[in-house]
Amino acid sequence: MIARSIRATRGVFYLDRAAPLAVTEVSGPIMIVGAGGAGSRLAPEAASRLGAGHVLVSNVASDLRGEASIEVSTAPVINPTVHVIRSAARRGAPQVLGAVGGARTVIVMAGLAGRSGAGIAPMLAEAASAAGKTVISVAIMPFGFEKDRVFGAGIALKRLRAASDCTIIVDNDAMLEGSPGLGAQSCIGMANAAIMHVVGSIGAGDVPGGDSVVAASRAGAGLEESVREAIKMLYEGGVRGTAAQSLVHVIGDDVPVGDIAGAAAAVSGTAGGAATARAAGPGGEGVVVVSELGGASKFDSYDPLGAIPAGMTLDWDEAERSVPCDLDIVQIER
Protein backbone atom coordinates (compact mmCIF):
# COMPACT_ATOMS: atom_id res chain seq x y z
CA MET A 1 0.00 0.00 0.00
CA ILE A 2 1.10 3.57 -0.61
CA ALA A 3 1.98 5.35 2.61
CA ARG A 4 0.72 8.90 3.06
CA SER A 5 1.66 11.74 5.31
CA ILE A 6 -0.42 11.45 8.48
CA ARG A 7 -0.80 13.01 11.86
CA ALA A 8 -1.79 11.27 15.07
CA THR A 9 -3.99 12.42 17.94
CA ARG A 10 -4.64 10.09 20.89
CA GLY A 11 -3.98 7.00 18.78
CA VAL A 12 -6.26 8.03 15.88
CA PHE A 13 -4.54 8.55 12.54
CA TYR A 14 -5.83 11.18 10.10
CA LEU A 15 -4.88 11.73 6.47
CA ASP A 16 -3.53 15.25 5.99
CA ARG A 17 -6.53 16.28 3.95
CA ALA A 18 -9.02 14.71 6.36
CA ALA A 19 -10.75 16.39 9.27
CA PRO A 20 -11.52 14.48 12.49
CA LEU A 21 -14.62 12.33 12.17
CA ALA A 22 -17.87 14.01 13.20
CA VAL A 23 -19.52 11.81 15.80
CA THR A 24 -22.84 11.44 17.57
CA GLU A 25 -22.45 12.44 21.22
CA VAL A 26 -22.98 9.48 23.52
CA SER A 27 -23.75 9.97 27.20
CA GLY A 28 -23.96 7.22 29.78
CA PRO A 29 -25.54 5.21 31.08
CA ILE A 30 -26.19 3.15 27.94
CA MET A 31 -28.94 0.57 27.47
CA ILE A 32 -29.06 -1.87 24.55
CA VAL A 33 -32.45 -3.01 23.27
CA GLY A 34 -32.53 -6.15 21.13
CA ALA A 35 -35.65 -6.18 18.94
CA GLY A 36 -36.87 -9.38 17.29
CA GLY A 37 -34.89 -12.58 16.80
CA ALA A 38 -31.57 -11.23 15.47
CA GLY A 39 -31.53 -8.28 17.85
CA SER A 40 -32.25 -10.52 20.83
CA ARG A 41 -29.33 -12.77 19.93
CA LEU A 42 -26.87 -9.90 19.53
CA ALA A 43 -27.87 -7.58 22.38
CA PRO A 44 -26.49 -9.57 25.37
CA GLU A 45 -22.97 -9.85 23.88
CA ALA A 46 -22.99 -6.21 22.78
CA ALA A 47 -24.04 -5.15 26.28
CA SER A 48 -21.24 -7.23 27.78
CA ARG A 49 -18.67 -5.53 25.56
CA LEU A 50 -19.88 -2.08 26.52
CA GLY A 51 -20.52 -2.86 30.16
CA ALA A 52 -24.11 -1.76 29.58
CA GLY A 53 -27.54 -3.11 30.47
CA HIS A 54 -29.83 -4.76 27.96
CA VAL A 55 -33.44 -5.69 27.40
CA LEU A 56 -34.88 -8.07 24.79
CA VAL A 57 -38.18 -7.29 23.06
CA SER A 58 -40.07 -9.59 20.68
CA ASN A 59 -43.50 -10.93 19.87
CA VAL A 60 -42.02 -14.46 19.67
CA ALA A 61 -41.53 -16.05 23.07
CA SER A 62 -38.63 -18.25 21.90
CA ASP A 63 -36.57 -15.11 21.15
CA LEU A 64 -36.66 -14.07 24.80
CA ARG A 65 -34.55 -15.37 27.65
CA GLY A 66 -33.68 -14.13 31.09
CA GLU A 67 -35.40 -11.59 33.27
CA ALA A 68 -34.61 -8.65 30.97
CA SER A 69 -37.23 -9.67 28.42
CA ILE A 70 -40.50 -8.12 27.28
CA GLU A 71 -42.96 -10.02 25.11
CA VAL A 72 -45.03 -7.87 22.76
CA SER A 73 -48.37 -9.63 22.57
CA THR A 74 -50.08 -9.84 19.18
CA ALA A 75 -52.86 -12.13 20.43
CA PRO A 76 -55.26 -13.30 19.15
CA VAL A 77 -53.43 -13.08 15.80
CA ILE A 78 -51.30 -16.20 15.33
CA ASN A 79 -49.32 -15.17 12.24
CA PRO A 80 -49.18 -11.37 12.52
CA THR A 81 -48.16 -8.98 9.77
CA VAL A 82 -45.56 -6.26 10.33
CA HIS A 83 -48.43 -3.78 10.75
CA VAL A 84 -49.98 -5.83 13.57
CA ILE A 85 -46.59 -6.23 15.29
CA ARG A 86 -45.92 -2.51 14.90
CA SER A 87 -49.23 -1.65 16.52
CA ALA A 88 -48.52 -4.03 19.42
CA ALA A 89 -45.03 -2.54 19.83
CA ARG A 90 -46.51 0.94 20.07
CA ARG A 91 -48.79 -0.21 22.87
CA GLY A 92 -45.85 -1.90 24.64
CA ALA A 93 -43.45 1.04 24.27
CA PRO A 94 -44.15 2.45 27.78
CA GLN A 95 -43.09 -0.87 29.34
CA VAL A 96 -39.84 -0.82 27.35
CA LEU A 97 -39.15 2.78 28.37
CA GLY A 98 -39.65 1.74 31.97
CA ALA A 99 -37.11 -1.06 31.49
CA VAL A 100 -34.41 1.22 30.05
CA GLY A 101 -34.78 3.33 33.17
CA GLY A 102 -32.39 6.25 33.48
CA ALA A 103 -30.34 5.41 30.38
CA ARG A 104 -29.38 8.51 28.42
CA THR A 105 -28.36 6.59 25.30
CA VAL A 106 -30.38 3.71 23.84
CA ILE A 107 -28.89 1.39 21.21
CA VAL A 108 -31.60 -0.46 19.26
CA MET A 109 -30.37 -3.60 17.48
CA ALA A 110 -32.56 -5.43 14.98
CA GLY A 111 -32.59 -7.57 11.87
CA LEU A 112 -35.06 -5.96 9.48
CA ALA A 113 -35.48 -9.06 7.32
CA GLY A 114 -37.83 -10.57 9.91
CA ARG A 115 -41.27 -9.25 10.73
CA SER A 116 -40.53 -8.93 14.46
CA GLY A 117 -37.49 -6.70 14.05
CA ALA A 118 -39.06 -4.67 11.24
CA GLY A 119 -42.20 -4.05 13.26
CA ILE A 120 -40.73 -3.46 16.71
CA ALA A 121 -37.44 -1.61 16.21
CA PRO A 122 -38.78 1.62 14.61
CA MET A 123 -41.45 2.01 17.29
CA LEU A 124 -38.95 1.56 20.11
CA ALA A 125 -36.54 4.05 18.54
CA GLU A 126 -39.37 6.53 18.12
CA ALA A 127 -40.46 6.13 21.77
CA ALA A 128 -36.89 6.51 23.08
CA SER A 129 -36.30 9.59 20.95
CA ALA A 130 -39.56 11.16 22.15
CA ALA A 131 -38.37 10.54 25.73
CA GLY A 132 -35.32 12.70 25.04
CA LYS A 133 -32.76 9.92 24.79
CA THR A 134 -29.94 9.66 22.24
CA VAL A 135 -30.88 6.81 19.90
CA ILE A 136 -28.33 4.76 17.97
CA SER A 137 -29.81 2.06 15.75
CA VAL A 138 -28.04 -0.98 14.29
CA ALA A 139 -30.05 -2.33 11.35
CA ILE A 140 -29.24 -5.61 9.60
CA MET A 141 -30.60 -5.72 6.05
CA PRO A 142 -31.67 -8.91 4.22
CA PHE A 143 -29.88 -10.83 1.48
CA GLY A 144 -30.84 -9.80 -2.05
CA PHE A 145 -32.32 -13.23 -2.76
CA GLU A 146 -34.84 -12.73 0.05
CA LYS A 147 -37.11 -10.90 -2.36
CA ASP A 148 -40.15 -11.17 -0.12
CA ARG A 149 -38.32 -9.33 2.69
CA VAL A 150 -36.58 -6.48 0.89
CA PHE A 151 -39.62 -4.20 0.62
CA GLY A 152 -40.58 -4.54 4.29
CA ALA A 153 -36.97 -4.01 5.35
CA GLY A 154 -36.82 -0.82 3.27
CA ILE A 155 -39.93 0.58 4.95
CA ALA A 156 -38.65 -0.32 8.42
CA LEU A 157 -35.24 1.22 7.70
CA LYS A 158 -36.82 4.48 6.58
CA ARG A 159 -38.77 4.68 9.83
CA LEU A 160 -35.76 3.69 11.91
CA ARG A 161 -33.53 6.32 10.32
CA ALA A 162 -36.15 9.01 10.94
CA ALA A 163 -36.34 8.17 14.67
CA SER A 164 -32.58 7.74 15.33
CA ASP A 165 -29.71 10.14 15.88
CA CYS A 166 -27.60 7.78 13.82
CA THR A 167 -28.27 4.47 12.09
CA ILE A 168 -25.54 1.92 11.45
CA ILE A 169 -26.56 -0.30 8.54
CA VAL A 170 -25.15 -3.79 8.05
CA ASP A 171 -25.95 -5.11 4.57
CA ASN A 172 -25.94 -8.91 4.45
CA ASP A 173 -26.37 -8.77 0.68
CA ALA A 174 -23.18 -6.72 0.24
CA MET A 175 -21.34 -9.13 2.54
CA LEU A 176 -22.38 -12.02 0.31
CA GLU A 177 -21.52 -10.17 -2.91
CA GLY A 178 -18.15 -9.18 -1.48
CA SER A 179 -17.33 -12.78 -0.56
CA PRO A 180 -19.41 -14.94 -2.94
CA GLY A 181 -17.61 -18.12 -1.93
CA LEU A 182 -19.03 -17.96 1.57
CA GLY A 183 -22.29 -19.54 2.63
CA ALA A 184 -25.16 -17.51 4.01
CA GLN A 185 -24.42 -18.52 7.61
CA SER A 186 -20.75 -17.59 7.21
CA CYS A 187 -21.81 -14.17 5.90
CA ILE A 188 -24.10 -13.71 8.88
CA GLY A 189 -21.23 -14.64 11.19
CA MET A 190 -18.97 -12.12 9.47
CA ALA A 191 -21.65 -9.44 9.77
CA ASN A 192 -22.20 -10.22 13.45
CA ALA A 193 -18.47 -9.97 14.17
CA ALA A 194 -18.38 -6.56 12.46
CA ILE A 195 -21.39 -5.42 14.49
CA MET A 196 -19.70 -6.41 17.74
CA HIS A 197 -16.58 -4.49 16.77
CA VAL A 198 -18.52 -1.35 15.83
CA VAL A 199 -20.75 -1.45 18.92
CA GLY A 200 -17.72 -2.12 21.12
CA SER A 201 -16.01 0.98 19.71
CA ILE A 202 -18.89 3.19 20.83
CA GLY A 203 -17.23 3.38 24.23
CA ALA A 204 -14.27 5.10 22.55
CA GLY A 205 -16.51 7.70 20.93
CA ASP A 206 -16.34 6.19 17.45
CA VAL A 207 -19.99 6.81 16.57
CA PRO A 208 -20.74 8.29 13.12
CA GLY A 209 -22.58 11.57 12.93
CA GLY A 210 -25.21 10.29 10.51
CA ASP A 211 -26.45 7.16 8.75
CA SER A 212 -23.60 4.79 7.93
CA VAL A 213 -22.88 1.49 6.20
CA VAL A 214 -20.57 -1.13 7.69
CA ALA A 215 -18.13 -3.15 5.56
CA ALA A 216 -15.79 -5.86 6.77
CA SER A 217 -13.75 -8.82 5.62
CA ARG A 218 -13.30 -12.51 6.27
CA ALA A 219 -11.42 -13.40 9.43
CA GLY A 220 -7.71 -13.87 8.80
CA ALA A 221 -7.79 -12.50 5.26
CA GLY A 222 -4.77 -10.25 5.83
CA LEU A 223 -4.74 -6.47 5.76
CA GLU A 224 -4.50 -5.81 2.02
CA GLU A 225 -7.06 -8.46 1.11
CA SER A 226 -9.34 -7.19 3.88
CA VAL A 227 -9.20 -3.65 2.48
CA ARG A 228 -10.09 -4.93 -1.00
CA GLU A 229 -13.01 -6.95 0.34
CA ALA A 230 -14.30 -4.04 2.42
CA ILE A 231 -14.09 -1.69 -0.57
CA LYS A 232 -16.00 -4.20 -2.69
CA MET A 233 -18.69 -4.39 -0.02
CA LEU A 234 -18.97 -0.60 0.08
CA TYR A 235 -19.35 -0.59 -3.69
CA GLU A 236 -22.00 -3.33 -3.59
CA GLY A 237 -23.73 -1.45 -0.78
CA GLY A 238 -24.12 1.63 -2.96
CA VAL A 239 -21.40 3.75 -1.33
CA ARG A 240 -19.60 4.83 -4.51
CA GLY A 241 -17.86 8.13 -3.98
CA THR A 242 -20.82 9.43 -1.96
CA ALA A 243 -19.62 8.97 1.64
CA ALA A 244 -19.37 12.12 3.71
CA GLN A 245 -16.64 10.50 5.82
CA SER A 246 -15.33 7.07 6.73
CA LEU A 247 -13.78 5.52 9.81
CA VAL A 248 -11.43 2.60 9.17
CA HIS A 249 -10.71 0.30 12.12
CA VAL A 250 -7.42 -1.45 11.35
CA ILE A 251 -7.09 -4.66 13.36
CA GLY A 252 -3.75 -6.34 13.94
CA ASP A 253 -0.66 -6.62 16.10
CA ASP A 254 1.54 -3.56 15.66
CA VAL A 255 0.39 -2.72 12.12
CA PRO A 256 2.83 -0.31 10.42
CA VAL A 257 1.65 3.29 10.38
CA GLY A 258 2.13 3.46 6.61
CA ASP A 259 -0.29 0.54 6.14
CA ILE A 260 -2.84 2.23 8.36
CA ALA A 261 -2.61 5.38 6.25
CA GLY A 262 -2.79 3.33 3.06
CA ALA A 263 -5.98 1.59 4.23
CA ALA A 264 -7.62 4.94 4.92
CA ALA A 265 -6.50 6.30 1.55
CA ALA A 266 -7.86 3.30 -0.33
CA VAL A 267 -11.26 3.55 1.38
CA SER A 268 -11.42 7.31 0.86
CA GLY A 269 -10.63 6.92 -2.82
CA THR A 270 -13.58 4.59 -3.30
CA ALA A 271 -16.15 5.88 -0.84
CA GLY A 272 -15.24 9.56 -1.06
CA GLY A 273 -15.11 12.13 1.71
CA ALA A 274 -12.62 12.31 4.54
CA ALA A 275 -11.06 9.11 5.86
CA THR A 276 -9.93 8.48 9.42
CA ALA A 277 -8.08 5.34 10.49
CA ARG A 278 -7.88 3.94 14.00
CA ALA A 279 -5.49 1.23 15.15
CA ALA A 280 -8.10 -1.05 16.67
CA GLY A 281 -5.88 -3.39 18.65
CA PRO A 282 -4.52 -6.94 18.44
CA GLY A 283 -5.97 -9.81 16.47
CA GLY A 284 -5.86 -11.26 12.97
CA GLU A 285 -5.12 -8.53 10.45
CA GLY A 286 -8.22 -7.00 8.90
CA VAL A 287 -10.41 -3.93 8.71
CA VAL A 288 -13.91 -2.87 9.66
CA VAL A 289 -15.06 0.23 7.77
CA VAL A 290 -17.91 2.53 8.77
CA SER A 291 -18.79 4.94 5.93
CA GLU A 292 -21.30 7.72 6.48
CA LEU A 293 -23.83 8.00 3.68
CA GLY A 294 -23.58 11.32 1.88
CA GLY A 295 -26.36 10.80 -0.67
CA ALA A 296 -28.87 8.30 -1.99
CA SER A 297 -28.04 4.63 -1.45
CA LYS A 298 -29.31 1.27 -2.64
CA PHE A 299 -31.58 1.09 0.41
CA ASP A 300 -33.69 3.96 -0.90
CA SER A 301 -34.75 1.74 -3.80
CA TYR A 302 -35.92 -1.04 -1.46
CA ASP A 303 -39.16 0.90 -0.98
CA PRO A 304 -40.24 2.07 -4.46
CA LEU A 305 -43.21 3.85 -2.86
CA GLY A 306 -40.94 6.00 -0.70
CA ALA A 307 -41.45 9.04 -2.93
CA ILE A 308 -45.17 9.12 -2.10
CA PRO A 309 -46.00 11.96 0.35
CA ALA A 310 -46.60 10.79 3.91
CA GLY A 311 -50.24 11.87 3.80
CA MET A 312 -50.94 9.53 0.91
CA THR A 313 -48.98 6.49 2.05
CA LEU A 314 -50.50 3.09 2.79
CA ASP A 315 -47.91 2.40 5.49
CA TRP A 316 -50.02 3.15 8.57
CA ASP A 317 -48.86 3.20 12.17
CA GLU A 318 -51.91 1.34 13.40
CA ALA A 319 -52.78 -2.13 12.18
CA GLU A 320 -55.57 -2.52 9.67
CA ARG A 321 -58.49 -4.37 11.22
CA SER A 322 -62.12 -5.00 10.44
CA VAL A 323 -64.45 -3.87 13.21
CA PRO A 324 -67.21 -6.37 14.08
CA CYS A 325 -70.56 -4.59 14.16
CA ASP A 326 -74.21 -5.21 13.26
CA LEU A 327 -75.84 -2.70 10.94
CA ASP A 328 -79.64 -2.66 10.70
CA ILE A 329 -79.83 -1.92 6.97
CA VAL A 330 -82.84 -3.00 4.97
CA GLN A 331 -81.95 -4.74 1.76
CA ILE A 332 -83.55 -2.98 -1.18
CA GLU A 333 -84.25 -5.24 -4.10
CA ARG A 334 -85.22 -4.23 -7.59
Side-chain angles (χ1 to χ4, degrees):
M1 293 185 179
I2 300 174
R4 288 200 175 190
S5 175
I6 61 173
R7 56 192 174 85
T9 303
R10 294 184 182 178
V12 183
F13 298 86
Y14 303 107
L15 293 174
D16 272 349
R17 63 184 179 81
L21 189 75
V23 298
T24 298
E25 183 177 345
V26 176
S27 301
I30 299 173
M31 178 68 74
I32 298 181
V33 180
S40 295
R41 288 189 294 272
L42 292 169
E45 182 180 349
S48 177
R49 292 198 176 209
L50 275 179
H54 74 274
V55 59
L56 312 182
V57 185
S58 180
N59 66 300
V60 180
S62 59
D63 293 337
L64 307 175
R65 53 197 176 278
E67 295 181 0
S69 299
I70 296 175
E71 183 174 357
V72 173
S73 175
T74 56
V77 182
I78 297 175
N79 189 27
T81 64
V82 171
H83 287 90
V84 172
I85 297 171
R86 182 188 298 164
S87 180
R90 184 178 292 278
R91 294 193 300 271
Q95 185 180 0
V96 177
L97 287 179
V100 301
R104 299 179 64 182
T105 299
V106 174
I107 302 175
V108 179
M109 306 182 72
L112 302 188
R115 284 176 291 179
S116 294
I120 294 172
M123 294 299 101
L124 299 186
E126 181 181 299
S129 179
K133 302 180 186 298
T134 298
V135 179
I136 300 171
S137 296
V138 179
I140 307 170
M141 302 303 287
F143 292 105
F145 58 76
E146 297 177 296
K147 300 297 184 183
D148 57 329
R149 300 181 175 186
V150 169
F151 176 63
I155 293 175
L157 179 62
K158 180 173 65 177
R159 287 175 166 271
L160 198 58
R161 291 168 70 176
S164 304
D165 293 280
C166 91
T167 305
I168 300 169
I169 305 168
V170 182
D171 186 10
N172 273 330
D173 192 47
M175 295 277 182
L176 184 59
E177 291 293 330
S179 301
L182 295 179
Q185 289 304 314
S186 296
C187 285
I188 292 173
M190 186 167 64
N192 290 348
I195 290 170
M196 289 304 145
H197 183 87
V198 173
V199 172
S201 70
I202 289 175
D206 293 337
V207 186
D211 299 331
S212 302
V213 174
V214 174
S217 60
R218 294 170 292 116
L223 185 56
E224 292 198 24
E225 183 64 24
S226 295
V227 172
R228 285 195 290 268
E229 289 185 4
I231 288 174
K232 186 176 181 181
M233 290 176 199
L234 289 176
Y235 186 85
E236 294 293 343
V239 184
R240 308 170 185 178
T242 62
Q245 53 194 349
S246 297
L247 177 61
V248 184
H249 299 270
V250 182
I251 305 167
D253 296 299
D254 198 23
V255 178
V257 171
D259 288 350
I260 295 174
V267 170
S268 178
T270 300
T276 304
R278 174 183 286 277
E285 287 192 348
V287 298
V288 175
V289 180
V290 183
S291 287
E292 185 180 348
L293 295 174
S297 69
K298 63 181 283 186
F299 310 110
D300 297 308
S301 66
Y302 280 17
D303 175 14
L305 305 179
I308 298 176
M312 300 176 65
T313 184
L314 299 179
D315 182 35
W316 304 293
D317 282 345
E318 295 297 327
E320 68 278 18
R321 291 180 180 273
S322 58
V323 180
C325 59
D326 296 323
L327 299 177
D328 187 15
I329 299 177
V330 178
Q331 177 67 39
I332 301 177
E333 298 183 358
R334 298 182 60 182

